[in-house]
Amino acid sequence: MTDCRAFIDVANERSEAQFTQQVDGKWSVAEVMQHLYLSARPVARLMAGPREVFDQWGNADRPSRHYEEIAAAYQKVLTFGNKAPASMSPRPEDMEVTKQGMIDRFSAIYASLVEASEGWSDNDLNTFLIPHPVLGMLTVREMLYFTSAHTQHHLRLLPKT
């Protein structure tokens, strides 16, 4: 949740206009926040749902990688020009919400991730797999690490106020 809190702090530092303004053709803070929300939502839903859903992807045949390894793997794939898929990109209708509404939605999905993860054993976090669009099959633990690394990545890219 510290990544989520840091992003919310950045959002709160900006006026409504700064929050929604694109700079140099890049996503606005609001659009990045929506992208992060869209990226975290399927993970939260999967983790909160029945474990049988994970059977379709099999079980890990290796130990979970550490946070640093997942963050490095993500940074590496970014060098190849990978962009967010359309399903993880903000749509105009997604943006028809107030800044506070966006922050509340973003905060709620990260809280859902934390809540859902509390019901998982270490063994299950390291055994069940989730497909990632560019990183391939990740253990649930690795997907949680990715969510954090992804948020940190976008925090670093935000224009300074």
Side-chain angles (χ1 to χ4, degrees):
M1 277 301 275
T2 57
D3 301 323
C4 172
R5 182 79 249 155
F7 206 96
I8 290 169
D9 288 347
V10 167
N12 282 327
E13 291 170 359
R14 286 158 168 80
S15 68
E16 188 89 29
Q18 291 170 322
F19 181 68
T20 58
Q21 181 181 11
Q22 291 186 347
V23 177
D24 297 328
K26 305 271 189 211
W27 280 344
S28 67
V29 174
E31 288 168 321
V32 173
M33 186 173 265
Q34 178 64 14
H35 164 66
L36 293 170
Y37 164 81
L38 291 169
S39 299
R41 184 175 60 180
V43 179
R45 286 180 175 172
L46 279 169
M47 290 183 70
R51 302 279 161 90
E52 295 79 31
V53 171
F54 292 88
D55 292 345
Q56 65 187 306
W57 301 304
N59 291 331
D61 59 358
R62 57 171 175 75
S64 287
R65 292 170 285 176
H66 297 280
Y67 174 88
E68 294 78 13
E69 295 171 280
I70 296 300
Y74 177 56
Q75 289 303 312
K76 183 177 180 180
V77 300
L78 290 175
T79 65
F80 301 124
N82 287 300
K83 299 288 183 196
S87 62
M88 302 294 159
S89 297
R91 302 170 304 174
E93 58 268 30
D94 294 333
M95 307 314 297
E96 294 173 1
V97 62
T98 65
K99 177 175 142 180
Q100 191 57 54
M102 181 76 67
I103 290 170
D104 291 346
R105 182 166 61 195
F106 176 77
S107 180
I109 204 63
Y110 276 73
S112 294
L113 269 176
V114 170
E115 183 180 331
S117 67
E118 291 169 354
W120 285 68
S121 69
D122 281 341
N123 184 61
D124 286 352
L125 288 170
N126 294 321
T127 300
F128 290 100
L129 295 170
I130 300 177
H132 184 279
V134 294
L135 295 176
M137 297 306 281
L138 300 178
T139 65
V140 174
R141 180 180 305 282
E142 291 170 340
M143 187 62 86
L144 291 171
Y145 289 158
F146 165 77
T147 301
S148 174
H150 187 218
T151 305
Q152 288 295 321
H153 164 75
H154 282 289
L155 268 169
R156 286 189 300 274
L157 294 178
L158 290 177
K160 305 296 178 226
T161 54

